[in-house]
Amino acid sequence: MTTIKIIIADTQYLVRIGLENLLSANKDFKVIGEVSNSKEMLEMVQLHQPEVVIFDYNNPKSFTMEDISVTKKISPKTNFLIISADENKSNIYKIIELGAISFLTKECDKEEIIGA
């Protein structure tokens, strides 16, 4: 099996490091970086073309929903796993329409993250 390259995009340092530690313990995943804003994410995606970006769009100063569309233009095969505290159903539907493959709340557990 091929290793899945992942970028973690979240404004919260503890979330990024926690996800990185969780995923790095699994041989099927390789975290190639973690970023705290859109500019860093787009640069890293363009450079590494990851299979997955774990993304929280729910911080307009750093990330937005539209970042998915922009990223898909530079790396069409990159998938988005959303892990967010946003529970607004219309936002969740919109983010999936924009191309996210999965949505978890920040209350999810280890098995849900690995499975997604």
Side-chain angles (χ1 to χ4, degrees):
M1 181 175 176
T2 316
T3 303
I4 298 170
K5 296 185 300 185
I6 301 170
I7 293 173
I8 300 168
D10 195 298
T11 58
Q12 299 173 358
Y13 172 77
L14 286 175
V15 170
R16 293 192 315 267
I17 297 306
L19 284 169
E20 184 173 4
N21 285 328
L22 172 73
L23 296 169
S24 295
N26 187 313
K27 64 179 174 37
D28 296 330
F29 305 127
K30 178 176 175 73
V31 177
I32 55 175
E34 43 98 6
V35 298
S36 62
N37 62 59
S38 295
K39 183 179 183 289
E40 292 173 350
M41 181 181 72
L42 294 172
E43 289 171 357
M44 190 164 285
V45 166
Q46 188 159 18
L47 182 64
H48 295 287
Q49 303 288 302
E51 284 80 22
V52 175
V53 173
I54 297 177
F55 181 67
D56 185 0
Y57 62 88
N58 198 21
N59 189 323
K61 293 180 183 176
S62 298
F63 296 109
T64 66
M65 289 184 189
E66 289 72 29
D67 290 333
I68 291 179
S69 301
V70 174
T71 302
K72 289 281 198 182
K73 289 178 185 170
I74 62 172
S75 183
K77 293 184 180 179
T78 296
N79 294 301
F80 279 83
L81 164 58
I82 308 304
I83 302 179
S84 180
D86 186 5
E87 294 182 4
N88 180 304
K89 288 184 181 182
S90 65
N91 288 344
I92 295 169
Y93 292 138
K94 182 175 181 181
I95 204 81
I96 291 171
E97 287 173 5
L98 289 170
I101 60 166
S102 190
F103 187 101
L104 300 172
T105 67
K106 285 198 172 175
E107 295 177 10
C108 62
D109 62 26
K110 175 182 175 179
E111 288 75 27
E112 288 174 300
I113 295 169
I114 299 297

Short mmCIF file of all heavy atoms in Angstrom, two decimals, residues 47-79:
data_model
loop_
_atom_site.label_atom_id
_atom_site.label_comp_id
_atom_site.label_asym_id
_atom_site.label_seq_id
_atom_site.Cartn_x
_atom_site.Cartn_y
_atom_site.Cartn_z
N LEU A 47 3.76 22.62 -3.79
CA LEU A 47 5.06 21.98 -3.73
C LEU A 47 4.97 20.46 -3.61
O LEU A 47 5.71 19.73 -4.26
CB LEU A 47 5.85 22.56 -2.55
CG LEU A 47 7.26 22.05 -2.34
CD1 LEU A 47 8.15 22.44 -3.52
CD2 LEU A 47 7.83 22.62 -1.05
N HIS A 48 4.03 19.97 -2.78
CA HIS A 48 4.00 18.54 -2.44
C HIS A 48 2.88 17.73 -3.06
O HIS A 48 2.91 16.50 -3.02
CB HIS A 48 3.94 18.37 -0.91
CG HIS A 48 5.16 18.88 -0.22
ND1 HIS A 48 6.36 18.23 -0.26
CD2 HIS A 48 5.35 19.99 0.53
CE1 HIS A 48 7.25 18.91 0.44
NE2 HIS A 48 6.66 19.99 0.93
N GLN A 49 1.81 18.38 -3.57
CA GLN A 49 0.68 17.68 -4.16
C GLN A 49 0.20 16.52 -3.27
O GLN A 49 0.20 15.35 -3.67
CB GLN A 49 1.05 17.14 -5.55
CG GLN A 49 1.53 18.19 -6.54
CD GLN A 49 0.42 19.10 -7.04
OE1 GLN A 49 -0.54 18.62 -7.59
NE2 GLN A 49 0.56 20.39 -6.83
N PRO A 50 -0.24 16.83 -2.05
CA PRO A 50 -0.65 15.76 -1.12
C PRO A 50 -1.95 15.09 -1.55
O PRO A 50 -2.72 15.65 -2.32
CB PRO A 50 -0.87 16.52 0.19
CG PRO A 50 -1.34 17.87 -0.27
CD PRO A 50 -0.51 18.16 -1.50
N GLU A 51 -2.15 13.89 -1.05
CA GLU A 51 -3.41 13.20 -1.29
C GLU A 51 -4.53 13.81 -0.45
O GLU A 51 -5.69 13.82 -0.86
CB GLU A 51 -3.30 11.70 -0.98
CG GLU A 51 -2.57 10.89 -2.01
CD GLU A 51 -1.04 10.99 -1.90
OE1 GLU A 51 -0.51 11.33 -0.84
OE2 GLU A 51 -0.38 10.73 -2.92
N VAL A 52 -4.18 14.28 0.76
CA VAL A 52 -5.19 14.78 1.70
C VAL A 52 -4.71 16.05 2.39
O VAL A 52 -3.55 16.15 2.77
CB VAL A 52 -5.52 13.72 2.78
CG1 VAL A 52 -6.48 14.27 3.83
CG2 VAL A 52 -6.08 12.45 2.16
N VAL A 53 -5.65 16.99 2.54
CA VAL A 53 -5.46 18.14 3.43
C VAL A 53 -6.53 18.01 4.51
O VAL A 53 -7.71 17.93 4.20
CB VAL A 53 -5.61 19.49 2.70
CG1 VAL A 53 -5.58 20.65 3.70
CG2 VAL A 53 -4.52 19.67 1.65
N ILE A 54 -6.09 17.95 5.77
CA ILE A 54 -7.03 18.01 6.88
C ILE A 54 -7.18 19.49 7.19
O ILE A 54 -6.21 20.18 7.46
CB ILE A 54 -6.51 17.21 8.09
CG1 ILE A 54 -6.37 15.74 7.73
CG2 ILE A 54 -7.46 17.39 9.29
CD1 ILE A 54 -5.80 14.87 8.83
N PHE A 55 -8.43 19.96 7.14
CA PHE A 55 -8.66 21.40 7.01
C PHE A 55 -9.80 21.87 7.90
O PHE A 55 -10.85 21.24 7.96
CB PHE A 55 -9.01 21.64 5.53
CG PHE A 55 -9.28 23.04 5.12
CD1 PHE A 55 -8.27 24.00 5.14
CD2 PHE A 55 -10.53 23.42 4.67
CE1 PHE A 55 -8.52 25.30 4.72
CE2 PHE A 55 -10.79 24.71 4.26
CZ PHE A 55 -9.78 25.65 4.27
N ASP A 56 -9.57 23.00 8.59
CA ASP A 56 -10.65 23.69 9.30
C ASP A 56 -10.81 25.07 8.68
O ASP A 56 -9.98 25.94 8.87
CB ASP A 56 -10.37 23.80 10.80
CG ASP A 56 -11.53 24.41 11.57
OD1 ASP A 56 -12.56 24.75 10.94
OD2 ASP A 56 -11.42 24.54 12.79
N TYR A 57 -11.88 25.24 7.94
CA TYR A 57 -12.16 26.48 7.20
C TYR A 57 -12.77 27.56 8.09
O TYR A 57 -12.94 28.70 7.67
CB TYR A 57 -13.16 26.21 6.07
CG TYR A 57 -14.49 25.71 6.59
CD1 TYR A 57 -15.48 26.61 6.96
CD2 TYR A 57 -14.71 24.36 6.77
CE1 TYR A 57 -16.68 26.16 7.49
CE2 TYR A 57 -15.90 23.91 7.30
CZ TYR A 57 -16.87 24.80 7.65
OH TYR A 57 -18.05 24.35 8.19
N ASN A 58 -13.09 27.22 9.31
CA ASN A 58 -13.93 28.06 10.16
C ASN A 58 -13.14 29.15 10.90
O ASN A 58 -13.30 29.34 12.09
CB ASN A 58 -14.69 27.18 11.16
CG ASN A 58 -15.88 27.86 11.77
OD1 ASN A 58 -16.39 28.82 11.22
ND2 ASN A 58 -16.31 27.38 12.91
N ASN A 59 -12.27 29.86 10.19
CA ASN A 59 -11.55 30.99 10.75
C ASN A 59 -11.24 31.97 9.62
O ASN A 59 -10.20 31.87 8.97
CB ASN A 59 -10.26 30.54 11.43
CG ASN A 59 -9.61 31.67 12.21
OD1 ASN A 59 -9.63 32.83 11.79
ND2 ASN A 59 -9.04 31.33 13.34
N PRO A 60 -12.14 32.91 9.36
CA PRO A 60 -12.03 33.79 8.19
C PRO A 60 -10.72 34.59 8.12
O PRO A 60 -10.32 35.00 7.05
CB PRO A 60 -13.22 34.74 8.34
CG PRO A 60 -14.16 34.07 9.27
CD PRO A 60 -13.35 33.16 10.13
N LYS A 61 -10.04 34.78 9.23
CA LYS A 61 -8.76 35.51 9.20
C LYS A 61 -7.64 34.65 8.63
O LYS A 61 -6.63 35.18 8.18
CB LYS A 61 -8.39 36.00 10.60
CG LYS A 61 -9.33 37.06 11.13
CD LYS A 61 -8.91 37.50 12.52
CE LYS A 61 -9.91 38.50 13.07
NZ LYS A 61 -9.60 38.88 14.44
N SER A 62 -7.80 33.34 8.66
CA SER A 62 -6.73 32.45 8.21
C SER A 62 -7.14 31.50 7.09
O SER A 62 -6.35 31.21 6.20
CB SER A 62 -6.23 31.62 9.40
OG SER A 62 -5.69 32.45 10.39
N PHE A 63 -8.36 30.96 7.15
CA PHE A 63 -8.85 30.01 6.15
C PHE A 63 -10.30 30.32 5.84
O PHE A 63 -11.03 30.81 6.69
CB PHE A 63 -8.79 28.57 6.68
CG PHE A 63 -7.42 28.05 6.97
CD1 PHE A 63 -7.00 27.85 8.27
CD2 PHE A 63 -6.55 27.74 5.94
CE1 PHE A 63 -5.73 27.36 8.55
CE2 PHE A 63 -5.28 27.25 6.20
CZ PHE A 63 -4.87 27.06 7.51
N THR A 64 -10.73 29.99 4.61
CA THR A 64 -12.13 30.12 4.23
C THR A 64 -12.54 28.90 3.41
O THR A 64 -11.69 28.14 2.93
CB THR A 64 -12.38 31.38 3.38
OG1 THR A 64 -11.72 31.24 2.12
CG2 THR A 64 -11.92 32.64 4.09
N MET A 65 -13.83 28.75 3.21
CA MET A 65 -14.34 27.65 2.38
C MET A 65 -13.76 27.70 0.97
O MET A 65 -13.48 26.67 0.37
CB MET A 65 -15.87 27.72 2.30
CG MET A 65 -16.58 27.37 3.55
SD MET A 65 -18.37 27.39 3.21
CE MET A 65 -18.99 27.22 4.85
N GLU A 66 -13.61 28.91 0.46
CA GLU A 66 -13.14 29.08 -0.92
C GLU A 66 -11.71 28.55 -1.13
O GLU A 66 -11.29 28.31 -2.26
CB GLU A 66 -13.24 30.54 -1.34
CG GLU A 66 -14.68 31.01 -1.54
CD GLU A 66 -15.48 31.16 -0.25
OE1 GLU A 66 -14.89 31.46 0.82
OE2 GLU A 66 -16.71 30.97 -0.30
N ASP A 67 -10.97 28.36 -0.05
CA ASP A 67 -9.63 27.79 -0.17
C ASP A 67 -9.65 26.42 -0.82
O ASP A 67 -8.69 26.02 -1.48
CB ASP A 67 -8.95 27.69 1.20
CG ASP A 67 -8.58 29.05 1.78
OD1 ASP A 67 -8.36 30.00 1.00
OD2 ASP A 67 -8.51 29.16 3.02
N ILE A 68 -10.75 25.70 -0.65
CA ILE A 68 -10.86 24.38 -1.28
C ILE A 68 -10.86 24.53 -2.80
O ILE A 68 -10.11 23.83 -3.50
CB ILE A 68 -12.12 23.63 -0.80
CG1 ILE A 68 -11.95 23.25 0.67
CG2 ILE A 68 -12.38 22.39 -1.65
CD1 ILE A 68 -13.15 22.54 1.27
N SER A 69 -11.66 25.43 -3.33
CA SER A 69 -11.72 25.63 -4.79
C SER A 69 -10.38 26.05 -5.35
O SER A 69 -9.94 25.55 -6.39
CB SER A 69 -12.77 26.69 -5.13
OG SER A 69 -14.03 26.31 -4.65
N VAL A 70 -9.72 26.96 -4.67
CA VAL A 70 -8.40 27.44 -5.13
C VAL A 70 -7.40 26.29 -5.12
O VAL A 70 -6.64 26.10 -6.07
CB VAL A 70 -7.92 28.62 -4.25
CG1 VAL A 70 -6.50 29.03 -4.62
CG2 VAL A 70 -8.87 29.79 -4.35
N THR A 71 -7.41 25.52 -4.05
CA THR A 71 -6.48 24.39 -3.94
C THR A 71 -6.74 23.35 -5.01
O THR A 71 -5.80 22.82 -5.61
CB THR A 71 -6.60 23.75 -2.53
OG1 THR A 71 -6.32 24.75 -1.55
CG2 THR A 71 -5.61 22.61 -2.38
N LYS A 72 -8.01 23.06 -5.27
CA LYS A 72 -8.35 22.06 -6.29
C LYS A 72 -7.85 22.47 -7.68
O LYS A 72 -7.56 21.61 -8.51
CB LYS A 72 -9.87 21.83 -6.33
CG LYS A 72 -10.40 21.09 -5.13
CD LYS A 72 -10.13 19.64 -5.28
CE LYS A 72 -10.98 18.81 -4.36
NZ LYS A 72 -10.65 17.40 -4.50
N LYS A 73 -7.74 23.77 -7.94
CA LYS A 73 -7.22 24.23 -9.23
C LYS A 73 -5.74 23.93 -9.38
O LYS A 73 -5.27 23.63 -10.48
CB LYS A 73 -7.48 25.72 -9.41
CG LYS A 73 -8.94 26.05 -9.64
CD LYS A 73 -9.17 27.53 -9.77
CE LYS A 73 -10.67 27.81 -9.89
NZ LYS A 73 -10.99 29.22 -9.79
N ILE A 74 -4.98 24.02 -8.29
CA ILE A 74 -3.54 23.76 -8.39
C ILE A 74 -3.17 22.31 -8.11
O ILE A 74 -2.09 21.86 -8.48
CB ILE A 74 -2.71 24.71 -7.48
CG1 ILE A 74 -3.05 24.51 -6.01
CG2 ILE A 74 -2.89 26.14 -7.88
CD1 ILE A 74 -2.14 25.25 -5.06
N SER A 75 -4.08 21.58 -7.49
CA SER A 75 -3.82 20.17 -7.17
C SER A 75 -5.15 19.40 -7.19
O SER A 75 -5.72 19.09 -6.15
CB SER A 75 -3.16 20.06 -5.80
OG SER A 75 -2.83 18.72 -5.51
N PRO A 76 -5.66 19.09 -8.39
CA PRO A 76 -6.99 18.49 -8.53
C PRO A 76 -7.19 17.17 -7.79
O PRO A 76 -8.31 16.82 -7.44
CB PRO A 76 -7.15 18.28 -10.04
CG PRO A 76 -6.11 19.12 -10.68
CD PRO A 76 -5.02 19.32 -9.68
N LYS A 77 -6.12 16.43 -7.55
CA LYS A 77 -6.26 15.12 -6.89
C LYS A 77 -6.20 15.20 -5.37
O LYS A 77 -6.37 14.20 -4.70
CB LYS A 77 -5.20 14.16 -7.42
CG LYS A 77 -5.40 13.82 -8.89
CD LYS A 77 -4.41 12.81 -9.37
CE LYS A 77 -4.66 12.52 -10.84
NZ LYS A 77 -3.70 11.57 -11.37
N THR A 78 -5.96 16.39 -4.84
CA THR A 78 -5.93 16.56 -3.39
C THR A 78 -7.35 16.52 -2.83
O THR A 78 -8.23 17.21 -3.32
CB THR A 78 -5.24 17.88 -3.01
OG1 THR A 78 -3.87 17.83 -3.44
CG2 THR A 78 -5.28 18.11 -1.50
N ASN A 79 -7.54 15.69 -1.81
CA ASN A 79 -8.83 15.57 -1.14
C ASN A 79 -8.81 16.34 0.17
O ASN A 79 -7.76 16.49 0.79
CB ASN A 79 -9.14 14.10 -0.86
CG ASN A 79 -9.33 13.31 -2.13
OD1 ASN A 79 -10.20 13.63 -2.93
ND2 ASN A 79 -8.51 12.30 -2.32
#
